[in-house]
Amino acid sequence: MRIIAIRTLREYWQQHPDVEQPLRAWYANAKRSVWKSPADVKTSYRNASIVSADRVVFNIKGNDYRLVVAIDYSYEVIYVRFVGTHRDYDRIDAKTI
C-alpha cells in the first residue's frame, strides 16, 4: 500500500516521542500490506474499527493513541487523516475528518 502523509505521522511523533516506534511499526506493516477490502484490514488488525467503507481507526500503543485513515482499496492508497490521543479522538468525527 502507498501511504500518503507520512509527514503527518513524523510531525506527531516528534511532539510525542513515546508513540514513534508504534507508528513506525504500523507504517512498515501497512506499507507492505495489500488490502483489497475492510475484511483484509481486520485480518491484519483485529482491533481496527471499520467506520465506513473507506475509513478505518487503528489503536496505537495499547489504545493510548488513535490513527484514522481513509483507504482507497482499488488504488492501494492509504491517506492519514488524523493521529492523536484517545481524548483528542473523542472530539472528532472519524467519518468526516
Side-chain angles (χ1 to χ4, degrees), residues 52-91:
S52 66
D54 70 335
R55 294 294 169 113
V56 180
V57 178
F58 294 94
N59 298 322
I60 305 292
K61 195 179 175 258
N63 206 21
D64 288 345
Y65 296 90
R66 295 279 178 97
L67 174 64
V68 179
V69 301
I71 303 176
D72 186 325
Y73 297 100
S74 62
Y75 288 102
E76 298 182 4
V77 177
I78 299 171
Y79 301 93
V80 175
R81 305 301 298 158
F82 169 85
V83 61
T85 65
H86 200 289
R87 181 180 293 160
D88 296 335
Y89 172 79
D90 288 341
R91 293 186 215 134

Side-chain angles (χ1 to χ4, degrees), residues 10-66:
R10 187 179 312 112
E11 288 173 355
Y12 194 81
W13 75 52
Q14 287 172 344
Q15 294 177 350
H16 305 274
D18 63 314
V19 76
E20 179 177 0
Q21 286 309 106
L23 283 174
R24 283 183 182 271
W26 175 87
Y27 178 83
N29 187 48
K31 188 174 180 179
R32 69 177 168 263
S33 296
V34 178
W35 295 327
K36 297 292 185 184
S37 70
D40 292 339
V41 176
K42 288 294 275 185
T43 299
S44 297
Y45 289 93
R46 286 181 290 178
N47 292 331
S49 298
I50 308 301
V51 178
S52 66
D54 70 335
R55 294 294 169 113
V56 180
V57 178
F58 294 94
N59 298 322
I60 305 292
K61 195 179 175 258
N63 206 21
D64 288 345
Y65 296 90
R66 295 279 178 97

